[in-house]
């Protein structure tokens, strides 16, 4: 039996040395050490040995198993090393690596986050509404009559259902008041859509930031104070801000806001940045009609609203000359802001 074990060991070591890949090596292992392997079977012969022979042959058997196992492990390490060397053959592993590029925040998101941050500190909560709107929320409830030019087929994207792509975020004012009793103080960022001719300052999709504050005794002084504070925080304490009378159907009185800004070394000039006004009582009446209560009774509450173009703010902020850059997603453009 001892001779048999030695033959098995010799054969096994020869087969291991010859195994050309891991599969062949594993086949040798199974054929010798597996359940039905040669050495395993030889070991089962131990049963018939006498008590004196058993310990010595046990040692021989263990030594053989050990030698074979070690040989398999060494051969496997050798094969892996060969494979590694082969896979990097012809490759210069001393060349410096390529750095992974880092993403950045889109310029529109940068100004949106900053604007919202300022308004949140003044107690405005974030609100949202759908981009596919009803005529009611986009126009009627905002005191915008059926014959208003903004409602024209050539200015607005309509669906067959009668719904439309909202032309401004002011619709969120209505949705908020329909579901929340005053006081409400919200800021609503989002996309708006118009059938504009596309050029350097117009796209059919753009982004706005809407604000609304309704409570008891909100006055024009609150409107001016809040928005002056906002633009000072946004453009710097010494920035001049002016309110120019204007018309919007949903506010009375209404204003456009200009700030005096210096853009890249040129002489400072007035730039229009937002629309605003005191919420028109007709808007409160429309909301009261849907709610069926007197929470927004025009004799009990007042409020102010404002809307600004975020694309405009971003273009001014970063000196971007063409609004189309904001949607083209050219990494050479975007990476300048991160
Ligand atoms: N919705 C207006 C627009 O798209 C902007 C605006 C003006 C919003 C006055 C307001 C506001 O809330 O009070 O041009």
């Amino acid at each position: 039996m001892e001779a048999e074990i030695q033959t098995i060991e010799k054969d096994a070591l020869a087969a291991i040395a010859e195994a050309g890949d891991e599969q062949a090596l594993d086949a040798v292992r199974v054929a010798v050490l597996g359940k039905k392997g040669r050495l395993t079977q030889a070991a089962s012969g131990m049963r018939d040995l006498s008590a004196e022979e058993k310990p010595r042959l046990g040692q021989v058997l263990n030594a053989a198993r050990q030698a074979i196992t070690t040989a398999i492990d060494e051969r496997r390490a050798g094969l892996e090393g060969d494979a590694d060397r082969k896979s990097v053959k012809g490759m210069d592993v001393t060349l410096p690596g390529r750095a992974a590029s880092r993403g950045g925040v889109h310029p529109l998101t940068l100004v949106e986050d900053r604007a919202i941050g300022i308004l949140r500190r003044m107690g405005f909560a974030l609100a949202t509404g759908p981009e596919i709107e009803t005529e009611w929320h986009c126009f009627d409830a905002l005191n915008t009559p059926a014959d208003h030019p903004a409602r024209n087929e050539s200015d607005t994207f309509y669906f067959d259902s009668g719904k439309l792509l909202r032309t401004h975020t002011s619709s969120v004012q209505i949705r908020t008041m329909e579901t929340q009793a005053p006081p409400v103080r919200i800021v609503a960022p989002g996309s708006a859509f118009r059938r504009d001719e596309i050029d350097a300052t117009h796209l059919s999709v753009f982004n706005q930031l809407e604000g609304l504050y309704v409570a008891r005794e909100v006055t024009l002084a609150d409107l001016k104070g809040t928005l002056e504070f906002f633009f000072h925080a946004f453009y710097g304490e010494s920035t001049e801000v002016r309110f120019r009378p204007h018309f919007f159907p949903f506010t009375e009185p209404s204003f456009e806001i200009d700030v005096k800004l210096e853009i890249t070394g040129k002489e400072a000039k007035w730039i229009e940045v937002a629309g605003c006004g005191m919420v028109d009582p007709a808007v409160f009446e429309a909301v009261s009609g849907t709610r069926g209560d007197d929470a927004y009774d025009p004799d009990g509450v007042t409020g102010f609203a404002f809307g600004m173009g975020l694309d405009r703010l971003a273009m001014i902020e970063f000196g971007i000359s063409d609004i189309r850059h904001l949607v083209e997603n050219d990494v050479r453009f975007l990476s300048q802001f991160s």
Side-chain angles (χ1 to χ4, degrees), residues 21 32 34 49 67 76 137 145 218 258-259 268 322:
D21 57 32
V32 182
L49 295 178
R76 180 173 293 122
H137 291 98
V218 176
D258 302 333
V259 291
D322 193 319

Side-chain angles (χ1 to χ4, degrees), residues 167-170 173 194 206 208 210-211 248 250-251 255 275-277 305-308:
T167 57
H168 53 185
T169 46
S170 301
Q173 292 184 27
R194 288 180 202 172
F206 53 100
Q208 293 190 324
E210 190 80 18
F248 295 106
F250 34 90
T251 43
F255 306 89
C276 66
F306 57 90
M308 50 188 116

Side-chain angles (χ1 to χ4, degrees), residues 80-95:
E80 280 169 3
D82 287 349
D84 285 351
R85 271 187 294 281
K86 218 157 123 195
S87 69
V88 296
K89 203 168 163 219
M91 203 187 275
D92 184 351
V93 294
T94 64
L95 280 175

Side-chain angles (χ1 to χ4, degrees), residues 155-292:
D155 284 331
T156 300
F157 295 103
Y158 287 94
F159 293 92
D160 291 342
S161 65
K163 285 194 173 183
L164 46 85
L165 291 180
R166 66 180 178 194
T167 57
H168 53 185
T169 46
S170 301
S171 51
V172 185
Q173 292 184 27
I174 304 302
R175 289 195 172 268
T176 303
M177 289 190 278
E178 280 177 348
T179 53
Q180 292 173 41
V184 293
R185 204 186 285 164
I186 54 131
V187 52
S191 300
F193 309 84
R194 288 180 202 172
R195 279 183 187 267
D196 273 333
E197 281 291 329
I198 293 173
D199 62 24
T201 51
H202 297 86
L203 274 178
S204 45
V205 53
F206 53 100
N207 299 274
Q208 293 190 324
L209 187 68
E210 190 80 18
L212 173 72
Y213 177 28
V214 181
R216 294 200 162 270
E217 293 172 17
V218 176
T219 68
L220 189 55
D222 297 313
L223 162 64
K224 277 197 83 177
T226 304
L227 290 170
E228 264 172 13
F229 179 90
F230 173 82
F231 284 109
H232 284 158
F234 199 85
Y235 286 117
E237 276 314 310
S238 57
T239 306
E240 284 181 78
V241 181
R242 82 180 174 195
F243 291 73
R244 220 170 358 89
H246 196 74
F247 173 79
F248 295 106
F250 34 90
T251 43
E252 180 60 31
S254 306
F255 306 89
E256 280 191 329
I257 305 173
D258 302 333
V259 291
K260 201 168 191 181
L261 291 174
E262 238 176 80
I263 301 178
T264 53
K266 283 194 220 133
E267 207 184 316
K269 62 172 188 186
W270 290 105
I271 297 173
E272 179 210 318
V273 284
C276 66
M278 300 305 292
V279 179
D280 194 303
V283 173
F284 289 141
E285 267 155 26
V287 167
S288 299
T290 326
R291 289 179 60 97

Side-chain angles (χ1 to χ4, degrees), residues 133-152:
E133 256 306 358
T134 61
E135 287 198 75
W136 168 258
H137 291 98
C138 197
F139 297 127
D140 297 290
L142 285 160
N143 197 32
T144 307
D147 59 0
H148 193 282
R151 298 183 67 152
N152 206 297

